[in-house]
């Protein structure tokens, strides 16, 4: 699930309008995963300091997008 979140963030320019307060339906429609799985994944990404979490969105931390792009090649 974490990989899906990171891919969605890369594809959307580092900002994803899904956060802790987003509905389960929004999360399922965008990523195809449950809200519980999404929250666990963003918690792990946050602990790794890859993202910041807002009430209704998540963002890649500065510099992370470039690192992820390098690792993808």
């Amino acid at each position: 699930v974490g990989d899906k979140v990171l891919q969605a963030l890369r594809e959307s320019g580092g900002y994803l309008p899904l956060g802790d307060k987003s509905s389960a339906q929004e999360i399922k429609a965008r990523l195809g995963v449950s809200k519980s799985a999404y929250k666990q994944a963003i918690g792990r990404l946050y602990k790794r300091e890859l993202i910041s979490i807002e009430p209704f969105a998540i963002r890649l931390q500065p510099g992370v997008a470039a690192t992820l792009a390098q690792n993808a090649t």
Side-chain angles (χ1 to χ4, degrees):
V1 176
D3 290 338
K4 277 188 176 184
V5 172
L6 288 174
Q7 181 178 350
L9 280 164
R10 282 193 300 264
E11 291 171 356
S12 64
Y15 176 85
L16 193 60
L18 296 172
D20 277 351
K21 305 292 183 190
S22 298
S23 74
Q25 293 82 8
E26 289 176 289
I27 294 166
K28 185 78 164 179
R30 178 69 190 247
L31 299 172
V33 300
S34 70
K35 183 171 182 172
S36 175
Y38 173 75
K39 288 182 76 168
Q40 288 175 8
I42 65 171
R44 287 190 298 271
L45 294 171
Y46 179 78
K47 285 181 184 177
R48 292 172 52 200
E49 300 180 355
L50 298 177
I51 64 168
S52 60
I53 301 173
E54 302 170 6
F56 291 96
I58 59 173
R59 294 180 189 272
L60 280 176
Q61 291 288 60
V64 171
T67 301
L68 291 173
Q70 287 176 348
N71 291 340
T73 59

